[in-house]
Amino acid sequence: MNRNRLLELLASVERGTLRAEDACESLANLPFEDIGHARIDHHRVLRSGLPEVIYAAGKSPAQTAEIFTRMAAAGSDVLATRVDEPTVVAVLAAVPQATHHPQARAISFRQTKTTAQGHIAVICAGTSDLSVAEEAAVTAELFGTKVTRLYDVGVAGIHRLLAVREQLNDAHAVIVCAGMEGALPSVVGGLVGVPVIAVPTSVGYGVSFQGAAALLGMLNSCSPNVTVVNIDNGFGAAYTATLIARASDPQ
Amino acid sequence: MNRNRLLELLASVERGTLRAEDACESLANLPFEDIGHARIDHHRVLRSGLPEVIYAAGKSPAQTAEIFTRMAAAGSDVLATRVDEPTVVAVLAAVPQATHHPQARAISFRQTKTTAQGHIAVICAGTSDLSVAEEAAVTAELFGTKVTRLYDVGVAGIHRLLAVREQLNDAHAVIVCAGMEGALPSVVGGLVGVPVIAVPTSVGYGVSFQGAAALLGMLNSCSPNVTVVNIDNGFGAAYTATLIARASDPQ
Amino acid sequence: MNRNRLLELLASVERGTLRAEDACESLANLPFEDIGHARIDHHRVLRSGLPEVIYAAGKSPAQTAEIFTRMAAAGSDVLATRVDEPTVVAVLAAVPQATHHPQARAISFRQTKTTAQGHIAVICAGTSDLSVAEEAAVTAELFGTKVTRLYDVGVAGIHRLLAVREQLNDAHAVIVCAGMEGALPSVVGGLVGVPVIAVPTSVGYGVSFQGAAALLGMLNSCSPNVTVVNIDNGFGAAYTATLIARASDPQ
Amino acid sequence: MNRNRLLELLASVERGTLRAEDACESLANLPFEDIGHARIDHHRVLRSGLPEVIYAAGKSPAQTAEIFTRMAAAGSDVLATRVDEPTVVAVLAAVPQATHHPQARAISFRQTKTTAQGHIAVICAGTSDLSVAEEAAVTAELFGTKVTRLYDVGVAGIHRLLAVREQLNDAHAVIVCAGMEGALPSVVGGLVGVPVIAVPTSVGYGVSFQGAAALLGMLNSCSPNVTVVNIDNGFGAAYTATLIARASDPQ
Amino acid sequence: MNRNRLLELLASVERGTLRAEDACESLANLPFEDIGHARIDHHRVLRSGLPEVIYAAGKSPAQTAEIFTRMAAAGSDVLATRVDEPTVVAVLAAVPQATHHPQARAISFRQTKTTAQGHIAVICAGTSDLSVAEEAAVTAELFGTKVTRLYDVGVAGIHRLLAVREQLNDAHAVIVCAGMEGALPSVVGGLVGVPVIAVPTSVGYGVSFQGAAALLGMLNSCSPNVTVVNIDNGFGAAYTATLIARASDPQ
Amino acid sequence: MNRNRLLELLASVERGTLRAEDACESLANLPFEDIGHARIDHHRVLRSGLPEVIYAAGKSPAQTAEIFTRMAAAGSDVLATRVDEPTVVAVLAAVPQATHHPQARAISFRQTKTTAQGHIAVICAGTSDLSVAEEAAVTAELFGTKVTRLYDVGVAGIHRLLAVREQLNDAHAVIVCAGMEGALPSVVGGLVGVPVIAVPTSVGYGVSFQGAAALLGMLNSCSPNVTVVNIDNGFGAAYTATLIARASDPQ
Amino acid sequence: MNRNRLLELLASVERGTLRAEDACESLANLPFEDIGHARIDHHRVLRSGLPEVIYAAGKSPAQTAEIFTRMAAAGSDVLATRVDEPTVVAVLAAVPQATHHPQARAISFRQTKTTAQGHIAVICAGTSDLSVAEEAAVTAELFGTKVTRLYDVGVAGIHRLLAVREQLNDAHAVIVCAGMEGALPSVVGGLVGVPVIAVPTSVGYGVSFQGAAALLGMLNSCSPNVTVVNIDNGFGAAYTATLIARASDPQ
Amino acid sequence: MNRNRLLELLASVERGTLRAEDACESLANLPFEDIGHARIDHHRVLRSGLPEVIYAAGKSPAQTAEIFTRMAAAGSDVLATRVDEPTVVAVLAAVPQATHHPQARAISFRQTKTTAQGHIAVICAGTSDLSVAEEAAVTAELFGTKVTRLYDVGVAGIHRLLAVREQLNDAHAVIVCAGMEGALPSVVGGLVGVPVIAVPTSVGYGVSFQGAAALLGMLNSCSPNVTVVNIDNGFGAAYTATLIARASDPQ
């Protein structure tokens, strides 16, 4: 049932061709959620204005390319994450104007002209965390957020972090990607007054347990402004950071 | 919004005091789920005819007693599970006609007169699994299911199980409660042609890990008619077994 | 039956007070397992009428093809699950009339003419859970169960689930396949009055732990009509769902 | 080195009694961080304006009471969380005007007169999650945030959640507390366009593993606007939610 | 044996060509489990001659005392393990001639006069493992096995172990109880030529994980003559060690 | 220090060229263990008479072939386990008379003429456990033990196990290999009066956790004559079973 | 065999009453380890000069008091760790001159007059880690090591750590005790040029898993000068730190 | 701010063109850490004199070769660990004088002429642990430490360890690499009076859990002079062992 059908039903009541009791019965038994459908379905998208994103892992190159093309044709900004080499080839063949971000393992296509809104910082410790950090950065940029990258900052050389403190202070939210012991978000959380979103990365060996050790470290953080997302989930961190940055920088 | 309020709104349209467009708007923006509420809310209860059950763990004796009393006053059959000693005292003080099942750690109060429908067997290996098995049996009985208890049946003395095979064959569903290695459901599953619902119990020591070892054994069962519920969840097993038994014995 | 009772029975035959045929009948109905051997062995099959199924994982293509051929020659309906590409080639070469279900990773061969009995719904959230859902659906269909597939239904867009509620209400049992957080069975369990069989899938990354997170979510379900099978075990879910559906739709 | 000592050193240079080179050497080798100390130390507090909070678990009643008293005397708003009965007695004896929140296991003392800024919703499913939800709500209120409590909302009765959707839409951030399968944040995340902070609670039994199952479910959420904190960490969720709400409602 | 062979056998009896007694004998030796019932049930006991043992954990003092009394009255040797203080009082009140072994947390009552058969050594490292080692030793002694106790032998002072090597060489089987790192069985396994049964104990703290670390160490042993039982399962180790010792010392 | 050097030293004392005190000092300070070396080193081998076995996993084909050749040249019986295809080629090229056991992933070379001593049974449930069961069987046979293979015996079809009970009763020890739920050893343990050595296999999927679920099931066995070895460790099981069988069948 | 018996044997050879060959045989077969016994046994103690320490957990107050008294009577310095209240009473009653360290849960008795040798720093973040830090500090002090305590130093307020950097630089080894995320050792490891011994503490809640999360963080440390001991093992950390400090400060 | 900028600022004060108060303000607000940067950054390197080491895992061959070349050109000693075949080719092409250590999976280039300082022993049990042991040995040697390799020493043949006791006694620190049950460090710890650094290796199968079982064993060691590093972390062990050896052997 959509709005038109609902209007029609109510008009029948108005015209006297349908009794109130019968209309009531119909309404009670029809899938009213369908009205809600549109509202619910697009609720989040409509409020945040954030484009849909394609998670390419587990999709065939052809599937990803087809969805990407359809969304591009609809005039949306498009982002595909976790793209492997064959997927890159397939998508760029279909939408040659799209941009490949190798480090982020992502492909984006920007066609709307929105002004940047909000500002986040993305921090990571070493070269091994770069792909996750870049997934976050590229996602946030496609969403229209200004991103400051601070990428050579680890807890075992604490001065490097202190040296970028001023830059941290400008951000509306900070994303911290870290593997191994996952200690960086706690230290960053102590330096800034905004939400810190911690992303454990699957970097490490032995008892890093593919990021689980870093995850535990982050959930146990003694800094109260730290929240956490799944291992390697740079996209999710960028999504929430963008919501915060936009709310902090209304236009 | 309930049915009355909906009827009233539609009557206003019928009377011409509310325009179809305005009613449509109202309906679109009101929490229509409230109509659905009743239907959804009681959907399961209405279809299965199963009374509500009070999970007393984590509730104070007074809270449990109050809910029990209110439900009894409403004419329902009532069951409270996981009752400790103070709760038993409180409930029996409030509803003296209720029955305490010490082994099942449950209190029931039957006031409807339904004929038994369906038949299940509840199996367990030893005295330590008895409280879980009895929670299942008492729950199913309150739900109007006939229950055959087979309680001294373990895999290390397989003949005892074989000796009750005929009794197993009469049941529409079989609940098997087992701790330690959790091997019993696989063996039972091989003997019967009906669904087996396996309940791991927290019985054991060392690497029984409070029932987790039994749970893993059951999930790995090589008998395809075995499904599993949470550790010690006799109530849940009885709920599903009752649904199956009723469907198998329509009246 | 102990030695004395056996001796007594045999003595009756010796004395001519019991005929050999009657003694045979008595013995056949007593718990004599080796006599029962055949009966036990095929008990489940005989009662449920469900054909044998070949689990191809861990078997060579030649082994699977040989078993498949032998069973087909015996006139049975045949199903092989978890077939890889070489196995498909080998089986189809041997039994060309068989049907390959690529998404389900299964091959079936139907040669009996049974009427459909019972009706189940198979639900999953996304494209990644499809192979498990299809394994369940194809298995149930081979077993003669009517299957309604509801495949684009996730908890993060709850209206899509609500929109198919009526279809859910027609099923005698519902199979819900879900990876990641495994939340779908709880929501479905709240909407229907029949048993829900939850199948965790190995879909996800990071702390999905190859389906273990979904499994835990399902075992902790607050809906009492949910039972659970092993990760990716679409076959097992279909087996139990079929037993329930048949019992609910006697012919 | 504090400001006075620094000023003195610089004055010596100004007076000519210390050469620039020597001063440079001194500054390079002295613990300059001490200057930074004050700035860093209070950085977070100064920017967010959030008062200090006392985590009473692991402190003696006397210790908590003493810190509470000292902070109250300093004119700050004060909050103590995880207070047991003896701690409540000790704190109220010392600061009789303080307010005890039994369900939240917290004591607060508000003495500043700040206008409410920002608005959050706190959701939980059942009575068992109440203490965590209330810890979050009371914390946020002490921080000057408006809080809407939505407390009887579970995934197994989805209509109850849909019925409060409008109220959810008003919040700048949503805190969702859930034990057992931890499915609620995913569903809520699909309904709102703002950040959702998920708090797993240690409610449940068997394989709930004291909240770990709920935690895994939340980290695996398919809603991208969900971030997670440690089990039972209502305080931390309120801290970040308050930062977001304030940024969303500048004054 | 199938139906036809059974019919044939019974017909022979009917015809008088087979005597009832001979038919009974044949049937007794064929795999007829219910006849075998008694045989199976007591098979293990009959072959090994080992008395039944009462696992008192999870039984009430009254229950344990009753079983103990009944078995004692039947003339059996009796052993109750894991007895707490009230159980000791109850059992000794009922059977005053029984012996309490405080360190082993066991009560035994020996009334048969069997010669010692076989010889085992029980080794442990420190005072904390003593209760498990004593449970093993007391059990084996009740079973009629000679036991050499070697109790102050740890891997961090390897000479103490080497000093008792000769005593180890006399045993038919060696039980090694160890907590913490569980390294002792590997070293002992390298010194002896007989089976070593390793019993992890729940001694330790931190990452001993209540004996799980010791268990893992033992299962990973590089000595091929080491097998393992559950944590703290001194009884089980004694059972198998006794079977080996008896087989090695036939009388 | 070897025997020759010790003899030389003692001869010096005998000749009077070395004083007793000095010899004592030398002996006290020299690595006397070297004398012990031979004794300790070969202690186990000498007592059990079991030949050395080469664990080929983690060795290069060339390394394994070289060790195999050297041991064969020394006149020993030789066994290499966990051999992959290239290793088979390399070993057979070097020692063409050796026998390859494909299912057991082993190569053996028997050149001594010992009479068979002792008798064990090796049981497994299905084709997937065969390689582990065969590793056990081939190892025991090389060690001179008679082996009865019982390979199609699973708990979900319990009659198959009962049908081989007589054969089980002849064995001095029983090895049970099982994956998935690991229930078979408990059932077998209840049927026999000799030690049962349980070998969990890495067969299964989902929550079989590569054999860990089966391992837990076996450690929790309610049959007291069951001990356990590491996952897939057929060799270790055969080693201990052989020690028991030999002790039970002295010659 | 002790030194006297060895001397006697060699004297017999010297006297010609025992032939070299026979003596050789005797030596080869006697438990020569007994000679080594004394040397091995006290090796560690003799080299390090560190007194024995009593681990009181799992010992009765009487047992601990008795050992303490005996060691004190022997003139040794004595330390008992993990003492509970009754143990403190018992030990102080027996050795009134001993010193109770309540925070360290330890009792020490110093009666030798050794000069302090070496210098370590003990760092922890908060009041909750104090008992572990004090166990380390008190142990090291009894061992004659100078200890600098730096106790209010956490990663979420990094300046506090930087402010004590000079003090860190004086230590020969640094012990860092930390619970929750366990990040402190990595940061300290980056600041100093000496070994850092990390002690995870069982402080925290939820996913701190009683110190396991901190342990994982420390083992994953990106600072290469960090090694780790068991959770709460302040004693072990002090032992190794003392060995390092002594080696670094020879006298 | 670097030293030059600081000097300039102080010169302005000296010249009277900047007031002391203003300079103070500038210094307080500028990122003074940059001054500290150099000192902190190289602190550890400067004190220990240990060259930088390249962890090649996760770097491309080209990246590793470039860093290696740059460091070699700067005159440093260089070490790259965890090098695969392509990386070896790339590095040797760039720096032909470098030495490849195949067993250690490392490449080193020594160009300074430092005298050896300190002495460590590296112990492992079998050939499978060799690559980790060699990583430790090669690292320590590049750092200028004398290394004694003791590589065929396992707990199941304890005499081999006892035979090398004298060599152990000469070392200033001992590194023990062990997989499977990880028992070796405890035994070694009991034999020596110096720190033992335990390195669990990922050697084993089944419940070795890729080194986690060995790790747990080592952390539970009953020898107090044992500390532990991450699985397979030979480099880290060598780093700390070198620090200890240098401190023990000042020059």
Side-chain angles (χ1 to χ4, degrees), chain C residues 68 78-85 87-89 91-92 97-110 130-143 149 151:
Chain C
F68 200 101
V78 194
L79 177 66
T81 62
R82 309 285 170 98
V83 293
D84 55 15
E85 209 40 60
T87 301
V88 170
V89 170
V91 171
L92 291 184
Q97 324 91 290
T99 309
H100 179 210
H101 310 265
Q103 196 117 41
R105 295 172 301 167
I107 303 176
S108 70
F109 180 50
R110 187 86 190 243
L130 272 184
S131 69
V132 177
E134 275 298 304
E135 180 180 304
V138 165
T139 299
E141 285 175 341
L142 185 84
F143 287 172
R149 288 161 170 86
Y151 280 1

Side-chain angles (χ1 to χ4, degrees), chain F residues 150-169:
Chain F
L150 302 166
Y151 280 0
D152 198 23
V153 185
V155 291
I158 200 68
H159 67 285
R160 286 177 293 181
L161 179 59
L162 299 175
V164 299
R165 205 166 41 187
E166 296 300 314
Q167 290 165 272
L168 284 176
N169 286 344

Side-chain angles (χ1 to χ4, degrees), chain G residues 99-126:
Chain G
T99 309
H100 179 211
H101 311 264
Q103 196 116 42
R105 296 171 300 168
I107 303 176
S108 69
F109 180 49
R110 186 86 189 242
Q111 47 186 339
T112 67
K113 295 282 170 276
T114 48
T115 341
Q117 186 183 0
H119 175 201
I120 68 168
V122 178
I123 305 185
C124 73

Side-chain angles (χ1 to χ4, degrees), chain D residues 61-221:
Chain D
Q63 287 177 311
T64 300
E66 185 195 329
I67 306 175
F68 200 101
T69 309
R70 217 169 47 224
M71 289 169 67
S76 306
D77 296 338
V78 193
L79 177 67
T81 61
R82 309 284 168 98
V83 293
D84 55 16
E85 209 41 59
T87 302
V88 170
V89 171
V91 171
L92 291 184
V95 185
Q97 323 92 291
T99 308
H100 178 211
H101 310 265
Q103 196 117 41
R105 296 172 301 168
I107 304 176
S108 70
F109 181 49
R110 186 88 190 240
Q111 48 185 336
T112 67
K113 296 281 171 275
T114 47
T115 340
Q117 186 184 0
H119 174 200
I120 68 169
V122 178
I123 304 184
C124 72
T127 53
S128 336
D129 303 313
L130 271 184
S131 70
V132 176
E134 274 299 303
E135 179 180 304
V138 165
T139 299
E141 286 174 341
L142 185 84
F143 288 171
T145 314
K146 180 182 159 199
V147 176
T148 298
R149 287 162 171 87
L150 302 167
Y151 280 180
D152 198 22
V153 185
V155 292
I158 201 67
H159 67 284
R160 287 177 291 182
L161 179 59
L162 299 176
V164 299
R165 204 164 44 186
E166 297 299 315
Q167 289 165 273
L168 284 176
N169 287 343
D170 291 342
H172 297 115
V174 180
I175 292 173
V176 183
C177 307
M180 303 180 74
E181 75 263 68
L184 198 50
S186 289
V187 181
V188 172
L191 295 178
V192 302
V194 297
V196 171
I197 299 166
V199 192
T201 66
S202 52
V203 167
Y205 65 94
V207 292
S208 78
F209 294 131
Q210 284 80 52
L215 173 70
L216 290 178
M218 291 164 174
L219 287 166
N220 280 298
S221 176

Side-chain angles (χ1 to χ4, degrees), chain B residues 86-111:
Chain B
T87 301
V88 171
V89 171
V91 171
L92 292 183
V95 184
Q97 323 92 292
T99 309
H100 178 211
H101 310 265
Q103 197 117 40
R105 297 173 300 170
I107 303 175
S108 69
F109 180 50
R110 186 87 189 241
Q111 48 185 338

